[in-house]
Amino acid sequence: ELKVEQNPLFLSMQEGKNYTIYCNYSTTSDRLYWYRQDPGKSLESLFVLLSNGAVKQEGRLMASLDTKARLSTLHITAAVHDLSATYFCAVHPDYGGSQGNLIFGKGTKLSVKP
Amino acid sequence: SQTIHQWPATLVQPVGSPLSLECTVEGTSNPNLYWYRQAAGRGLQLLFYSVGIGQISSEVPQNLSASRPQDRQFILSSKKLLLSDSGFYLCAWNSRVEKLFFGSGTQLSVL
């Protein structure tokens, strides 16, 4: 059974600082997603990572994937208040199932304070 | 462009009452459709998915059922709600291996 673990689960940052959220998964996967969720809102897709060594960046967020270590990171550079949200990683297992059968981590609740 | 509509946004229902949540997708044909549930403070759990009209697969045994009466319509139902059915329900769609696009969600409170 595929397990996805994120850490930390809660993160309080000061504006302007850098930090990294980690996502470990327990079995092989053919793709990994990062999503953002604002309180009471739906999920917004941030990144899709499809291969070992993949790196994607948008604004102050950069995601990377190491399939050998079964690890993805979401790096936050010079955090701003607008980045406050809960961030989920989700993994699609290699053993198949529906294309939408993503296994989600529990999420990292990020709070950026001035 | 494709859009996904989900309603209602919030729902408060007594235990034992029925449930019907609806989701429709516009701007695409034959999408894969999904129902996810998010319990308070937790990640998402896939409940049902559908690859075509009348084709429903259940990922977890539960008090809920799903139906797909039309190509771009997905309905989540229950005959009798339980307290444990409370949560944030999200409909989603994709095509083949693309990323999932989520609806705006329904916050269900069973009292």
Side-chain angles (χ1 to χ4, degrees), chain B residues 37-71:
Chain B
R37 177 170 61 199
Q38 183 178 29
R42 300 181 66 179
L44 276 72
Q45 181 184 39
L46 179 64
L47 302 176
F48 300 96
Y49 70 92
S50 172
V51 298
I53 296 174
Q55 301 178 59
I56 308 294
S57 296
S58 174
E59 292 293 315
V60 292
Q62 59 211 320
N63 183 42
L64 303 168
S65 62
S67 61
R68 185 170 178 174
Q70 301 181 44
D71 181 45

Side-chain angles (χ1 to χ4, degrees), chain B residues 3-110:
Chain B
T3 55
I4 179 169
H5 302 280
Q6 185 181 341
W7 67 93
T10 59
L11 194 57
V12 180
Q13 292 282 96
V15 168
S17 64
L19 172 74
S20 180
L21 303 180
E22 191 163 341
C23 171
T24 59
V25 180
E26 295 178 356
T28 186
S29 297
N30 196 30
N32 298 324
L33 295 171
Y34 309 88
W35 280 110
Y36 278 85
R37 177 170 61 199
Q38 183 178 29
R42 300 181 66 179
L44 276 72
Q45 181 184 39
L46 179 64
L47 302 176
F48 300 96
Y49 70 92
S50 172
V51 298
I53 296 174
Q55 301 178 59
I56 308 294
S57 296
S58 174
E59 292 293 315
V60 292
Q62 59 211 320
N63 183 42
L64 303 168
S65 62
S67 61
R68 185 170 178 174
Q70 301 181 44
D71 181 45
R72 291 169 289 178
Q73 182 185 29
F74 206 24
I75 298 171
L76 182 69
S77 304
S78 174
K79 292 182 179 178
K80 288 185 178 181
L81 284 168
L82 305 172
L83 287 174
S84 57
D85 291 325
S86 294
F88 191 51
Y89 288 82
L90 287 156
C91 180
W93 77 273
N94 71 351
S95 294
R96 306 176 94 179
V97 298
E98 294 176 359
K99 61 187 177 183
L100 282 175
F101 297 92
F102 286 88
S104 54
T106 296
Q107 183 64 53
L108 172 65
S109 299
V110 183

Side-chain angles (χ1 to χ4, degrees), chain A residues 40-97:
Chain A
K41 303 293 185 181
S42 186
L43 275 74
E44 173 191 353
S45 177
L46 296 174
F47 303 107
V48 181
L49 303 169
L50 300 176
S51 60
N52 187 43
V55 177
K56 291 195 174 180
Q57 181 167 5
E58 182 157 344
R60 301 175 188 272
L61 300 177
M62 182 174 71
S64 65
L65 178 62
D66 180 343
T67 57
K68 294 180 182 178
R70 297 177 186 169
L71 170 69
S72 179
T73 61
L74 181 66
H75 187 73
I76 303 157
T77 301
V80 294
H81 179 70
D82 285 352
L83 290 179
S84 297
T86 299
Y87 294 84
F88 291 94
C89 68
V91 175
H92 183 266
D94 267 351
Y95 54 75

Side-chain angles (χ1 to χ4, degrees), chain A residues 12 23 25 34-35 44 74 76 80 101 108:
Chain A
S12 181
C23 174
Y25 53 98
W34 283 97
Y35 285 90
E44 173 191 353
L74 181 66
I76 303 157
V80 294
N101 188 8
T108 296

